[in-house]
């Protein structure tokens, strides 16, 4: 059985990170914005990173061509169309409004295009979705509050808030107040923690931000007390193998901690993070890590079940998806 036979959810995906060079060129052309590369191949050749910041510099530069509501629609719809082929049934996607509003693009334009595409994607591909607004952690908390204020009229379309961008030097505690405000507004909470930052940042995400999920969480393995806490709480980790390889969080996929996480009882899931930059969508991540770590059929079932169980779907919707995984697994085993 390979992963394609299993229905799955993706819980860690930055929409701006699904911006393929071909679409970037097409949108740049219609917006009459110059790109400092000759071709999509030349853009891809520039995607070599030695750490998170290397990547973020190029990622934010690429997002500059997104201006109109239709641009955000096209970006989002292309992602859904692509992952329908990976048997993805549900997605919980991040967007970074500050990357756009600081260039003068209205919040309404960004969320308008994204939410229209999510609706059409559900109608066209049967993929359900939740939208997560990420605050950029390299900016001050006051900027995050201003963004949260802009989001207020649209909270019916936003399931949660997250925390992304440059991790080192920007601990979760910097955003304690805005996360408390989001919690008071009834939103779910997630944060990138322990991708490059120390285990202490994961503790802060749990104890100070009170997150519902940890994005990445790789460095939790350095702290046995933290592992015990995460296992005891059944905390979902949204792990991103190809991202970890491309950003040098691991040197080799064969050394990736995913298998160990499962053995320890951590609720790990497989995700793509920024697929247009890291060489693969969620299905490619499943294929590469299955190969590198010789994951078993039982591991694949656990991983796909974790993706639904760790989602923000209702208990009834989770049960329906978990039953579909069991049905697909027993069918594939025949
Ligand atoms: N923004 C997009 N991808 C990210 C990642 N992997 N870590 C932090 N910020 C991000
Ligand atoms: Zn991420």
């Amino acid at each position: 059985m390979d992963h394609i036979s299993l229905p799955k959810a993706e819980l860690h995906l930055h929409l701006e990170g699904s911006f393929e060079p071909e679409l970037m060129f097409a949108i740049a052309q219609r917006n009459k914005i110059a790109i400092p590369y000759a071709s999509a191949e030349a853009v891809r050749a520039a995607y070599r990173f030695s750490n998170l910041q290397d990547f973020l510099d190029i990622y934010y530069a690429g997002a500059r061509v997104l201006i109109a509501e239709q641009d955000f629609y096209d970006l989002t719809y292309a992602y859904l169309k692509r992952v329908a082929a990976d048997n993805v049934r549900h997605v919980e996607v991040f967007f970074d409004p500050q990357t756009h509003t600081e260039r003068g693009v209205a919040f309404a334009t960004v969320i308008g295009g994204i939410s229209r595409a999510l609706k059409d994607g559900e109608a066209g591909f049967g993929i359900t979705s939740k939208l997560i607004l990420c605050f950029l952690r390299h900016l001050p908390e006051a900027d995050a509050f201003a963004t949260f204020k802009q989001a207020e009229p649209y909270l019916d379309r936003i399931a949660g808030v997250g925390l992304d961008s440059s991790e080192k030097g920007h601990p979760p505690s910097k955003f304690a107040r805005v996360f408390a405000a989001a919690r008071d507004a009834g939103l779910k909470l997630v944060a990138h923690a322990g991708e490059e930052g120390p285990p202490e940042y994961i503790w802060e995400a749990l104890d100070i931000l009170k997150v519902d999920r940890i994005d990445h969480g790789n460095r939790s393995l350095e702290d046995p007390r933290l592992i015990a806490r995460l296992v005891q709480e059944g905390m979902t980790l949204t792990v991103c193998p190809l991202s970890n390889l491309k950003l040098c969080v691991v040197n080799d996929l064969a050394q990736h901690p995913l298998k160990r996480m499962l053995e320890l009882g951590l609720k790990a899931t497989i995700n793509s993070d920024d697929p247009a930059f890291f060489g693969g969508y969620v299905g490619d991540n499943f294929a590469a890590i299955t190969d590198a770590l010789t994951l078993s059929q039982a591991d694949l079932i656990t991983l796909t079940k974790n993706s639904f169980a760790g989602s923000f779907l209702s208990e009834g919707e989770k049960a329906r998806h978990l039953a579909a995984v069991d049905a697909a697994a027993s069918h594939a085993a025949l």
Side-chain angles (χ1 to χ4, degrees), residues 12 14 52 55-56 59 96 164-165 192 195 216 243 247 273-274:
H12 186 153
H14 302 262
L52 175 58
F55 154 71
L56 290 170
Y59 162 85
D96 288 342
D164 67 359
S165 193
H192 284 55
E195 179 184 21
H216 295 294
S243 165
L247 300 185
D273 205 2
D274 302 283

Side-chain angles (χ1 to χ4, degrees), residues 297-332:
Q297 178 165 330
D299 291 332
L300 294 178
I301 293 169
T302 299
L303 287 161
T304 55
K305 284 191 167 181
N306 286 351
S307 74
F308 291 114
S311 74
F312 297 142
L313 289 167
S314 69
E315 292 308 314
E317 290 163 323
K318 286 183 191 181
R320 185 171 58 78
H321 284 294
L322 293 171
V325 174
D326 281 331
S330 62
H331 186 74

Side-chain angles (χ1 to χ4, degrees), residues 122-140:
E122 181 166 359
F125 309 116
I127 300 176
T128 56
S129 64
K130 306 246 179 226
L131 187 56
I132 299 174
L133 183 167
C134 277
F135 299 120
L136 298 183
R137 69 201 302 161
H138 66 276
L139 298 175

